[in-house]
Amino acid sequence: MTATIPLTEEALAVRLRALEDERGILRTLHRYSHCMDYGLTKEWSECFAPDGVFDVKDLSGKRFHRENNRKELAAYLASKKVPPERYDKHIVAAPLIEVKGNTATATSYFVAIGAGAKALEIHVYGRYEDTMVKTGGEWLIKERIATVEGRMIH
Amino acid sequence: MAANDLEDMQRRVQLLEDERDIGDVFSRYSHTIDYGRQEEWADCFTEDGVFDVFTVDGRKVHKEHGRGELFRYLGGKKLPPQRYDKHVLAAPLIDVKGSTAKAQSYFIMFSSVAGSAPFIGVYGRYKDTLVKEGGRWYLKERLAEVERTPAR
Amino acid sequence: MASQQELAALQGRIQALEDERDILRTFYTYSHTIDYGKTREWSECFTTDGVFNVFMVDGTPVHRENNRTELKAYLASKLTPPEVYDKHILAAPVIKITGDKATAESFFIAIGDAGDGPLVFTFGRYTDTLMKEKGKWLIKERKAETETRTPGFTRTRKGVKPA
């Protein structure tokens, strides 16, 4: 125990802030999934910073698509099939978050689950490498690099 | 440092604790349903808790009202070792207001029946109302909207 | 001004939240290091004498490692990127912390691609005991109870005798 060092409100505030930052980042990552999977184009684009980047590549570095700002992001999602036509679930797992002041990095897994012709299947999975930025108290994605590691080929 | 005074920090810690404790309810729910621990599973709900399962196009699947019905519902399900299920809750969005909370999240159930290879059995969305009673969080209502099951 | 007593109470609550976060961080680090073949970093998610005990739900042993050296050798015997890309997902963690010790029960689901698209190749349950050493939470013992596996799906390198 560190009972000999007097506790200060400032020291506790720093620790509390770190917990809150991590929670805020997770919340944005989860909100991203809900907005994307239900076709909430504007809300989804607002999970990103105004100049936020979404860059999706395969393992060889070949790019599937890239969006460079909220307008392009909204247009990208608007081009996708969403409920009630199609129900997908983007899951984020194993998030490793490092916060440095008002920026952060997060490395996590993604798994997208959907309905195939015969079975429910994993359409795609891989890794997200995110750079996050805190703006007006809210954590937003500044850059999301999605590397596809496996996908269903139909 | 007015924003970091004791009372303010206590309130903020409380919020983090509430979210953690609600996350614990979600985890306990999964373990107890997947291993047929009827009493503990029913105990994730309030005494009058509701579990309402329906398809996304509005078809009723089943609905239980109260711990007694919940207990009996789980008693009627196939359990290990006949079948192994894994209810995975993902992307929880929890909003706490005092001693009540709303949560929206995903569920995906992975299954293995009679020794089969693993497969995805169902997925959809939970819409929950929770309440804190005597310092513990309980599900007051869990709406489970089934979005997809395997095509036949 | 807050009294030292009030601050100590608040610190205790913050500490509990930090411990849980740090245990989850160890679990997530475990996933990233096993899935990307980082043998040393993966073994360091365990205590020096950490045990990884994998068995089928009927009790049949699959493999068991008893310290970091054995853990490293185990992971080195497995196919890892760029040959295969797997994802170990941990879900529904129920964590109980008592001072510098903790227990956790959770689900694992492993996803991979054997060449014809992604699939879930196994799932089951982890039962863990953890210890905090020098401020870091480490796995003292992980029991992995495998409930199902896709037949024929293996990640053992060619030429390595399967466990």
Side-chain angles (χ1 to χ4, degrees):
Chain A
M1 295 300 284
T2 49
T4 49
I5 304 162
L7 290 166
T8 63
E9 294 183 4
E10 287 70 25
L12 291 181
V14 169
R15 292 166 64 181
L16 178 52
R17 175 56 63 197
L19 289 164
E20 288 174 332
D21 280 333
E22 199 150 327
R23 166 195 179 262
I25 289 166
L26 282 174
R27 203 172 164 86
T28 299
L29 300 186
H30 294 155
R31 200 154 47 84
Y32 170 102
S33 295
H34 285 268
C35 295
M36 182 173 215
D37 292 336
Y38 292 89
L40 308 174
T41 51
K42 183 167 162 290
E43 291 87 342
W44 182 67
S45 72
E46 286 169 1
C47 294
F48 290 83
D51 58 349
V53 168
F54 183 35
D55 196 355
V56 185
K57 299 172 190 176
D58 74 8
L59 284 163
S60 71
K62 188 171 75 77
R63 180 169 287 141
F64 293 106
H65 60 92
R66 179 189 164 107
E67 289 69 38
N68 297 293
N69 53 57
R70 284 189 182 161
K71 209 176 141 205
E72 290 181 16
L73 287 158
Y76 167 74
L77 185 54
S79 77
K80 308 298 283 181
K81 278 191 186 158
V82 295
E85 267 182 280
R86 176 182 170 130
Y87 288 88
D88 286 343
K89 291 275 158 285
H90 282 76
I91 293 175
V92 167
L96 290 174
I97 297 168
E98 300 288 341
V99 178
K100 280 211 179 96
N102 287 327
T103 63
T105 57
T107 302
S108 52
Y109 293 171
F110 70 88
V111 180
I113 289 168
K118 281 190 236 137
L120 304 184
E121 57 192 30
I122 297 162
H123 290 321
V124 58
Y125 70 85
R127 198 151 61 141
Y128 286 143
E129 283 159 292
D130 299 328
T131 310
M132 315 278 300
V133 55
K134 187 152 78 169
T135 321
E138 204 189 6
W139 284 97
L140 301 173
I141 302 168
K142 174 117 186 105
E143 183 184 57
R144 163 160 283 186
I145 299 171
T147 305
V148 171
E149 296 176 343
R151 70 186 177 116
M152 207 50 97
I153 316 238
H154 286 295
Chain B
M1 298 282 280
N4 291 327
D5 66 23
L6 185 72
E7 231 171 274
D8 176 65
M9 286 200 287
Q10 284 169 334
R11 185 185 51 74
R12 289 157 59 194
V13 166
Q14 185 62 56
L15 175 66
L16 293 171
E17 288 173 338
D18 282 333
E19 286 188 6
R20 174 198 60 191
D21 294 345
I22 289 169
D24 277 349
V25 173
F26 292 162
S27 291
R28 270 193 296 118
Y29 174 100
S30 293
H31 286 271
T32 52
I33 196 172
D34 289 341
Y35 293 92
R37 286 148 56 181
Q38 285 168 269
E39 199 171 326
E40 291 166 86
W41 182 66
D43 197 41
C44 294
F45 291 83
T46 55
E47 190 60 52
D48 63 346
V50 169
F51 183 37
D52 190 358
V53 185
F54 52 92
T55 64
V56 75
D57 54 13
R59 207 158 33 81
K60 182 182 167 178
V61 181
H62 62 88
K63 180 172 175 167
E64 287 70 38
H65 192 165
R67 284 192 188 144
E69 287 184 21
L70 288 158
F71 183 91
R72 283 192 293 281
Y73 165 73
L74 186 52
K77 279 179 70 85
K78 282 212 176 109
L79 298 166
Q82 282 86 32
R83 70 174 287 155
Y84 289 91
D85 292 325
K86 291 278 158 286
H87 282 76
V88 171
L89 182 146
L93 292 175
I94 302 167
D95 285 301
V96 177
K97 279 213 179 87
S99 54
T100 63
K102 292 270 183 196
Q104 179 165 299
S105 48
Y106 292 173
F107 68 88
I108 294 123
M109 189 178 82
F110 300 92
S111 299
S112 165
V113 178
S116 78
F119 63 93
I120 302 170
V122 58
Y123 66 78
R125 205 157 41 150
Y126 287 140
K127 289 174 191 171
D128 299 327
T129 309
L130 298 108
V131 295
K132 188 152 76 168
E133 292 175 359
R136 257 185 76 183
W137 285 96
Y138 296 92
L139 288 162
K140 180 152 183 65
E141 182 181 61
R142 164 157 282 186
L143 307 179
E145 197 171 86
V146 171
E147 292 174 347
R148 288 291 181 263
T149 52
R152 278 162 223 255
Chain C
M1 272 302 279
S3 72
Q4 282 294 299
Q5 208 175 358
E6 287 170 313
L7 290 174
L10 188 65
Q11 174 180 248
R13 294 165 67 187
I14 290 174
Q15 184 66 54
L17 290 162
E18 288 173 336
D19 281 333
E20 188 150 338
R21 174 199 62 190
D22 292 344
I23 288 170
L24 288 174
R25 197 173 279 181
T26 297
F27 289 162
Y28 300 154
T29 302
Y30 172 103
S31 291
H32 285 270
T33 51
I34 197 173
D35 290 334
Y36 290 89
K38 295 181 175 165
T39 50
R40 187 175 60 77
E41 291 90 337
W42 180 66
S43 73
E44 288 171 0
C45 295
F46 292 82
T47 57
T48 313
D49 60 350
V51 169
F52 184 34
N53 184 8
V54 183
F55 52 94
M56 299 305 294
V57 73
D58 65 5
T60 314
V62 179
H63 62 90
R64 181 189 163 112
E65 289 71 36
N66 297 295
N67 53 56
R68 284 189 184 160
T69 308
E70 291 181 15
L71 287 159
K72 275 188 276 192
Y74 166 74
L75 185 53
S77 78
K78 308 304 278 184
L79 291 169
T80 52
E83 289 150 305
V84 300
Y85 289 85
D86 292 341
K87 294 275 158 284
H88 282 74
I89 292 175
L90 180 143
V94 177
I95 299 168
K96 294 200 175 86
I97 300 164
T98 321
D100 287 342
K101 292 198 175 97
T103 60
E105 201 172 62
S106 53
F107 295 164
F108 67 88
I109 290 118
I111 289 167
D113 187 341
D116 47 4
L119 81 165
V120 181
F121 63 85
T122 183
F123 69 64
R125 196 155 48 149
Y126 289 141
T127 308
D128 300 324
T129 56
L130 297 109
M131 281 182 71
K132 186 151 79 167
E133 287 183 1
K134 292 180 194 146
K136 250 189 100 173
W137 282 99
L138 302 173
I139 300 168
K140 177 143 182 68
E141 184 184 44
R142 164 158 284 185
K143 288 184 191 148
E145 190 176 1
T146 304
E147 295 171 348
T148 173
R149 286 199 292 194
T150 297
F153 193 97
T154 174
R155 289 314 197 198
T156 303
R157 287 185 183 282
K158 283 209 172 70
V160 174
K161 201 170 89 187

